[in-house]
Amino acid sequence: MLINFFRKSKAQRSYEYASKLKSLGINTPEPIAYYEFTTPSLFKKSYYVSAQLECDLTYRELTRDLNYPDHEAILRAFTRFTYKLHESEIKFLDHSPGNTLIKKVGDGYEFYLVDLNRMEFKPLTFEERIKNFSRLTTHKSMVKTMSDEYAKVSGENFNAIFSLMWMETEAFQEKAENKKLLKKKLKFWKH
């Protein structure tokens, strides 16, 4: 009998994480199923299926249009949603602009996570919580607003949050830029 020492497929993780998020009161499109095409030794392909969710925007629109209607209110609500994730001991490793769908509901907003295959469920330190914002935007004004709202809901010091959030944002951007440059160099040397 062959024992599979490899981690679960992305599809299986997405399905299981979606189910866990729902049980914790965190929105994500309804998980339906996952399917894997397997060989005796390795997974070849896997598919995760969830219900289609009609949304009004993603977080990405907030980064592209700072004059988006109700921009600050949405950003503050998103920050409270992220705080709820952290309080629920959820570290969403792909917390990036395209992975949060936003629906306007009455006067408020609901947030739905997608691309769920990379998560950790554990208590988060202050540093881990703030670093979790680092991939979301390059706009200092947005980082300030998120820092302000996170300070209000968490009771932590605004200056400590903003300083760390901006430092982590810049570090992530620098790392992403270096990655792009390396890819360009490798592409150049291949030709």
Side-chain angles (χ1 to χ4, degrees):
M1 184 172 108
L2 182 65
I3 299 172
N4 187 349
F5 290 102
F6 299 97
R7 70 183 190 164
K8 295 174 182 177
S9 69
K10 285 183 175 184
Q12 183 178 354
R13 289 194 316 269
S14 294
Y15 179 81
E16 290 175 357
Y17 293 166
S19 301
K20 182 156 185 162
L21 289 176
K22 300 287 269 183
S23 77
L24 293 170
I26 304 296
N27 291 329
T28 187
E30 196 62 43
I32 296 172
Y34 70 93
Y35 185 77
E36 297 166 338
F37 293 97
T38 60
T39 65
S41 59
L42 295 171
F43 290 116
K44 282 284 189 185
K45 289 185 179 177
S46 63
Y47 299 93
Y48 167 61
V49 181
S50 68
Q52 175 71 24
L53 179 79
E54 296 300 323
C55 67
D56 297 301
L57 69 151
T58 67
Y59 181 94
R60 179 170 279 120
E61 277 76 34
L62 299 178
T63 68
R64 291 184 174 159
D65 181 1
L66 298 181
N67 295 312
Y68 191 91
D70 223 9
H71 189 279
E72 185 174 335
I74 300 169
L75 191 57
R76 288 183 180 278
F78 170 81
T79 304
R80 291 190 300 275
F81 169 73
T82 300
Y83 177 73
K84 181 181 175 184
L85 287 180
H86 296 161
E87 287 293 289
S88 301
E89 300 186 350
I90 300 166
K91 186 176 181 184
F92 184 30
L93 299 173
D94 287 322
H95 205 29
S96 56
N99 291 341
T100 302
L101 309 179
I102 305 171
K103 272 179 86 164
K104 184 161 176 50
V105 179
D107 291 337
Y109 297 90
E110 290 181 354
F111 301 88
Y112 295 78
L113 297 182
V114 295
D115 199 3
L116 305 177
N117 71 85
R118 292 185 348 106
M119 291 194 169
E120 292 176 359
F121 297 90
K122 63 174 194 164
L124 302 175
T125 65
F126 173 75
E127 288 76 15
E128 287 175 309
R129 287 169 176 242
I130 303 310
K131 188 175 183 175
N132 200 215
F133 286 87
S134 67
R135 304 173 69 159
L136 291 164
T137 184
T138 58
H139 299 289
K140 200 170 199 173
S141 61
M142 290 179 71
V143 171
K144 262 190 181 144
T145 300
M146 291 188 296
S147 298
D148 180 61
E149 192 63 27
Y150 206 88
K152 285 177 181 172
V153 294
S154 69
E156 298 284 348
N157 178 276
F158 164 78
N159 290 323
I161 292 172
F162 175 69
S163 171
L164 183 58
M165 196 182 292
W166 185 244
M167 183 185 80
E168 292 292 353
T169 297
E170 287 186 312
F172 175 77
Q173 292 305 320
E174 186 178 329
K175 191 174 169 187
E177 196 55 42
N178 288 340
K179 214 175 191 177
K180 271 190 219 168
L181 291 171
L182 183 61
K183 277 184 181 176
K184 273 185 184 176
K185 285 179 184 175
L186 291 174
K187 201 173 182 181
F188 173 79
W189 290 109
K190 280 183 181 178
H191 295 298

